[in-house]
Amino acid sequence: MGPVAIVIIAIALGLVSLPIAAIIDALRRPAIQWTRVGLNRLTWVLLMSVGTVLGVGVLGVVAAIEYLISVRPKLEMAAEMGGDLT
């Protein structure tokens, strides 16, 4: 295996690992947080997972970056409100 193949494999792994980490984070958040911010967990998980599989990683990475930059901070603020029931 040459250096080009190794670079391609490393890029592919990176394109898959970021959405996987974001999906795990989204699934671990209680439903009450999602309700408080008015977003749907299933929608975001599907965006990241289907985007990763069908978009060969690129669409999943874009969705994961959007989740990590804009959605996750909102969910963290909802968590600070307390009273996580689920």
Side-chain angles (χ1 to χ4, degrees), residues 26-81:
L27 291 172
R28 294 182 72 186
R29 301 273 172 185
I32 190 78
Q33 291 177 11
W34 290 92
T35 302
R36 285 181 179 156
V37 298
L39 296 172
N40 188 301
R41 176 186 358 209
L42 181 61
T43 301
W44 278 98
V45 169
L46 285 175
L47 270 172
M48 293 183 282
S49 58
V50 172
T52 299
V53 173
L54 297 181
V56 192
V58 177
L59 298 174
V61 168
V62 171
I65 290 171
E66 179 65 22
Y67 169 79
L68 293 170
I69 290 174
S70 67
V71 175
R72 187 171 187 245
K74 292 176 187 175
L75 293 170
E76 288 176 352
M77 286 177 42
E80 292 174 3
M81 294 172 72

